[in-house]
Amino acid sequence: MSGVWVFKNNGVIRLVENPQAEQEGSEQVRARRPNKVLVYLPTGQVISSYDILERILKSLGWEMYLGSDPNLIQFHRKNSIDLISLPSGFSKFNSVYMYDIVIKNSNVFQVRDV
């Protein structure tokens, strides 16, 4: 039996008999999956950088939080336990982080498919 053994983070392993075909298939799935964007509803603006997001969050009462992890950009609200943690590079900003912002700022942000 030939192929490649794939080890997952949870310890599960499986044999992939044709890795080239599986890789091409997963790329096609990724290409069909819509991209998500974070939209600031009052203006309809798509958040395209942390500078824009920071300006909006500050206007909503959020402040920069200086945590101990240099790989994160964090915001918090005074008199609240809410904390928004984002990856330091905007290129890694994905729907998980977008939904966290939406949940903590309901009626102000929305995640949309593009």
Side-chain angles (χ1 to χ4, degrees):
M1 190 183 307
S2 64
V4 176
W5 287 99
V6 177
F7 294 83
K8 298 184 178 183
N9 290 338
N10 62 2
V12 175
I13 61 172
R14 69 183 180 90
L15 177 65
V16 177
E17 293 183 17
N18 188 346
Q20 181 68 28
E22 187 162 310
Q23 182 178 5
E24 289 170 359
S26 63
E27 287 172 6
Q28 290 170 350
V29 167
R30 277 193 297 271
R32 285 193 307 257
R33 190 179 313 145
N35 289 331
K36 306 253 183 223
V37 293
L38 182 65
V39 177
Y40 180 55
L41 293 176
T43 63
Q45 179 180 16
V46 173
I47 306 302
S48 58
S49 72
Y50 279 150
D51 290 335
I52 294 169
L53 180 60
E54 181 180 357
R55 192 172 339 111
I56 293 170
L57 288 175
K58 283 184 176 182
S59 74
L60 296 171
W62 291 89
E63 297 179 346
M64 206 57 135
Y65 178 78
L66 301 175
S68 61
D69 190 340
N71 296 316
L72 296 176
I73 295 174
Q74 296 180 308
F75 296 90
H76 75 100
R77 282 188 175 152
K78 283 186 180 179
N79 304 321
S80 170
I81 61 168
D82 287 337
L83 183 68
I84 297 174
S85 296
L86 308 172
S88 60
F90 191 76
S91 62
K92 296 178 183 174
F93 182 65
N94 62 36
S95 59
V96 171
Y97 305 105
M98 294 178 197
Y99 285 115
D100 187 40
I101 292 169
V102 169
I103 289 168
K104 293 174 181 166
N105 297 278
S106 57
N107 302 320
V108 181
F109 289 99
Q110 185 179 61
V111 176
R112 295 184 185 160
D113 294 336
V114 290

